[in-house]
Amino acid sequence: MRVVTRGAALLAAAVICLLPLAVAHAQLTPEPITGQFTDQSVRPELAPGKGGGTTPPNLLAVVYDKTTASAPNFGLSSSDLAAVWGDELFTLGTGLLSTHKFTLFSTGSSAGNLLTATVGVSFFDGPTSTFLGGYTTNINFGAGLPPGSYSIITVTGLDPLLILLNSTDLVVTQTVMSKTGPANRLGIASLNPITSGSSPISMYINASTVGPASFYNVGNPPVPANPGYQIAVNSPPVGTVPSTWGRLRKLYR
């Protein structure tokens, strides 16, 4: 996992020390979304020998969702292209991460289309800030994600990374690690309502144009800040009993 180790793990080390307990006070203005770009389906970057991302023949359980039947209520972006965006998610269950969805948004004042992006995603236990795992993935938008638009990115085949989400209180973060194209203001699309699970009204941001790592309200009065995420895990949830975990690992040799 070259990029996961270098990118997501280093990002995790930075974020894990910064997750706050309180909501920061800053005046953040929701940005309009003028269109939805074609949804993208991608795979994670895997280390050599990890296999092709085969999913075990279990039924997947969607334990959190605000993408399937949810509409955008605002976008939020920053000229800090290394900004970290995220949210606290209260899920309906635990298990081995298999499929994850997130959004990318290019604001209307961006300098042009976003052609490609490499995104790092990290998962933490909410109460303890323990790093649970992370991945990176590459997205090719073809002619480009145009200003004012967002796209939902579906990442499948995450099972070989063995990201065990053993808590129903998660913090999920994302950051653009590299990109091509003239786009110079990127962020997330907030989607509402949440159809599976729940989240607080605030969202996580760490950006030089916003403030230090914290949870922030958006709008005055605040509106639900729900960066679009979906989490699907292998069901039934995988325990951490050594014999069970050992059998699971054998699936990916």
Side-chain angles (χ1 to χ4, degrees):
M1 274 185 308
R2 179 183 58 83
V3 180
V4 171
T5 301
R6 183 190 56 171
L10 290 178
L11 175 63
V15 176
I16 199 169
C17 299
L18 297 174
L19 290 178
L21 298 177
V23 176
H25 297 283
Q27 187 61 51
L28 303 181
T29 302
E31 301 170 27
I33 293 176
T34 58
Q36 181 177 0
F37 191 76
T38 305
D39 293 350
Q40 305 294 304
S41 182
V42 296
R43 309 281 281 190
E45 290 197 348
L46 298 174
K50 277 288 186 180
T54 302
T55 300
N58 297 344
L59 292 177
L60 295 182
V62 175
V63 296
Y64 187 90
D65 192 14
K66 48 188 168 185
T67 62
T68 303
S70 307
N73 61 327
F74 68 83
L76 201 62
S77 70
S78 173
S79 58
D80 177 3
L81 297 180
V84 181
W85 312 91
D87 202 3
E88 184 173 19
L89 316 181
F90 298 105
T91 69
L92 301 179
T94 61
L96 186 74
L97 180 65
S98 183
T99 298
H100 182 233
K101 294 184 180 183
F102 64 90
T103 65
L104 278 181
F105 169 64
S106 179
T107 193
S109 61
S110 189
N113 288 5
L114 175 66
L115 300 181
T116 67
T118 298
V119 177
V121 178
S122 296
F123 296 83
F124 302 87
D125 175 78
T128 67
S129 296
T130 300
F131 179 57
L132 301 178
Y135 70 87
T136 59
T137 191
N138 301 307
I139 308 113
N140 187 332
F141 292 103
L145 177 68
S149 298
Y150 78 100
S151 178
I152 297 176
I153 318 301
T154 300
V155 188
T156 59
L158 289 163
D159 310 76
L161 296 178
L162 300 178
I163 301 172
L164 183 62
L165 304 180
N166 55 9
S167 171
T168 56
D169 181 351
L170 303 173
V171 173
V172 181
T173 67
Q174 64 182 81
T175 186
V176 174
M177 301 172 67
S178 63
K179 63 95 180 176
T180 63
N184 62 351
R185 286 190 65 93
L186 301 175
I188 56 88
S190 173
L191 306 180
N192 205 47
I194 302 169
T195 56
S196 296
S198 61
S199 287
I201 195 171
S202 59
M203 63 173 287
Y204 178 85
I205 306 172
N206 183 6
S208 61
T209 58
V210 175
S214 189
F215 287 88
Y216 291 84
N217 287 327
V218 180
N220 186 20
V223 296
N226 296 319
Y229 290 125
Q230 183 193 86
I231 293 176
V233 299
N234 271 317
S235 182
V238 177
T240 55
V241 177
S243 60
T244 302
W245 194 239
R247 288 196 298 269
L248 176 68
R249 287 180 180 274
K250 291 178 182 179
L251 293 172
Y252 303 105
R253 288 182 177 175

